[in-house]
Amino acid sequence: MSTRLAHSAGGFIRSIQMSSEDVVLLVEGVGDRAFYSGVAREALPNVLTRVVTTAELQGFTKASGKPALIDTFKQLKKSGVLKTSLAGGPTKTFVVILDKDIDDRRRRKLRSPHVVYTVHYNVENHIFEAADVAKAVSCACSLDLEAVASALGHQEQWRRSIGRDWAEWTAYCYAVHRNSVGVQGYGRDKSMFHPRAGDPIDSATQQTIVSHATLIDANFPRYLRTARRVIAEVLARDAHDLVFNGKWYVPWLAHLADRAANGAPYPKASAAHFRACALATINYASAVLAEVVRRIRTAVHGTAAGPAAAPSANSP
């Protein structure tokens, strides 16, 4: 384990001040590092950049994941070191990258030129949008590439069909989190309404889950009706990734592997393995990542220009 994990907050800042990097991107999880390293190379080709995960921020907060990043940002801002230097040396810039989730719909987005949000619900949406899904599944499960490609069909149509198939589950999760109902939703790694990816909704299970949420909050049926309208609207714009948890693509990747294998044995892949294989196929110059690249480039160059650049770092 790296000794920098034991740094105090002050020690961490000093280590950055003395480092060769000009920009530090703070990201939520270890799994995010590879993606944002690739984005940084595309967005900031002539800038020395380091990607730091919440695991390296123990001196700032006892939280983890997104709450840890928010705590760290607030402490860096309060201390006045979002842009920092040591004894007149080169200026170092911190940029915090957060999963959007539905913070935009809840009006909870932080407003700062040093904060960048994902365009979609979370980073996984971007990974599986930009990846070559057939190659990723073929790699993760040691399957014939042509068989996977045939089972997949058109990748973008495949992704959109998933959004439609799990629209009711997405609406339920949206209603839960938009209104802070105390039950599980977006935090689940797959739909609770469907036995497996590709299966129809189990109506009895759905009714039980919705009834439980209604016991917790009697207004839940009204929340759910509103959520269904929201999901229908984003689906009509082919924009389901705005409200669809990107981690939910993983069970669909497993479903795709099963179809491609057609009964033949193959090694099952974990979520981490699917993700790693997907990352290995990404072209960071791809048009689908252009807005992610633009936001990070704008945040870095905008912070150098001062507070006036703040709105462009968090365009909706």
Side-chain angles (χ1 to χ4, degrees):
M1 181 179 292
S2 172
T3 55
R4 69 185 180 210
L5 295 182
H7 281 163
S8 65
F12 174 76
I13 292 170
R14 285 190 294 275
S15 74
I16 296 301
Q17 291 171 333
M18 294 184 292
S19 72
S20 60
E21 292 86 7
D22 301 307
V23 172
V24 178
L25 304 181
L26 302 178
V27 303
E28 292 186 29
V30 173
D32 298 353
R33 184 160 46 203
F35 177 76
Y36 285 115
S37 294
V39 171
R41 290 187 68 181
E42 180 66 23
L44 310 166
N46 300 313
V47 178
L48 289 176
T49 305
R50 173 174 157 193
V51 181
V52 176
T53 71
T54 53
E56 299 170 60
L57 302 175
Q58 293 179 351
F60 288 88
T61 176
K62 294 181 180 179
S64 60
K66 187 173 183 176
L69 274 186
I70 293 173
D71 286 352
T72 300
F73 164 74
K74 290 179 178 179
Q75 291 186 51
L76 291 170
K77 181 180 179 181
K78 183 178 180 180
S79 300
V81 293
L82 286 165
K83 292 178 66 176
T84 183
S85 62
L86 185 65
T91 298
K92 314 294 182 177
T93 300
F94 287 94
V95 175
V96 177
I97 305 177
L98 296 169
D99 285 341
K100 178 183 71 67
D101 303 330
I102 57 167
D103 289 356
D104 51 341
R105 306 276 176 156
R106 303 176 78 187
R107 301 183 183 276
R108 292 189 177 185
K109 291 179 70 175
L110 300 174
R111 298 294 173 178
S112 167
H114 291 269
V115 176
V116 172
Y117 281 88
T118 55
V119 181
H120 297 325
Y121 181 88
N122 59 18
V123 67
E124 282 80 11
N125 297 84
H126 291 294
I127 290 172
F128 294 120
E129 178 184 39
D132 184 320
V133 167
K135 287 183 179 179
V137 171
S138 173
C139 168
C141 299
S142 298
L143 290 168
D144 178 76
L145 176 57
E146 291 303 319
V148 179
S150 177
L152 173 67
H154 189 280
Q155 179 170 316
E156 187 60 22
Q157 291 177 1
W158 173 79
R159 290 178 55 260
R160 291 174 183 174
S161 71
I162 291 170
R164 292 192 298 270
D165 284 352
W166 278 14
E168 188 66 17
W169 166 245
T170 305
Y172 169 83
C173 294
Y174 183 94
V176 165
H177 287 266
R178 177 68 178 79
N179 301 283
S180 301
V181 181
V183 294
Q184 292 185 324
Y186 273 123
R188 303 285 296 193
D189 59 7
K190 59 183 178 181
S191 169
M192 293 193 295
F193 288 178
H194 304 78
R196 291 174 300 275
D199 287 351
I201 287 177
D202 183 321
S203 298
T205 300
Q206 178 187 19
Q207 182 176 354
T208 298
I209 292 170
V210 171
S211 296
H212 177 65
T214 303
L215 286 175
I216 300 296
D217 188 329
N219 290 314
F220 188 73
R222 176 168 59 84
Y223 302 156
L224 186 56
R225 288 193 296 272
T226 300
R228 285 170 175 152
R229 289 195 293 270
V230 170
I231 303 309
E233 184 270 329
V234 295
L235 285 172
R237 294 191 288 116
D238 291 328
H240 75 280
D241 275 313
L242 293 174
V243 292
F244 181 93
N245 185 344
K247 294 178 181 178
W248 296 341
Y249 284 116
V250 171
W252 285 92
L253 296 174
H255 174 62
L256 175 60
D258 281 342
R259 290 171 52 222
N262 196 27
Y266 69 93
K268 307 296 183 181
S270 65
H273 196 191
F274 275 128
R275 178 176 171 142
C277 289
L279 283 165
T281 71
I282 292 177
N283 171 12
Y284 289 93
S286 168
V288 298
L289 291 178
E291 179 60 14
V292 180
V293 168
R294 187 198 68 80
R295 290 187 183 194
I296 291 177
R297 181 184 294 130
T298 301
V300 171
H301 295 305
T303 55
S312 61
N314 282 298
S315 57

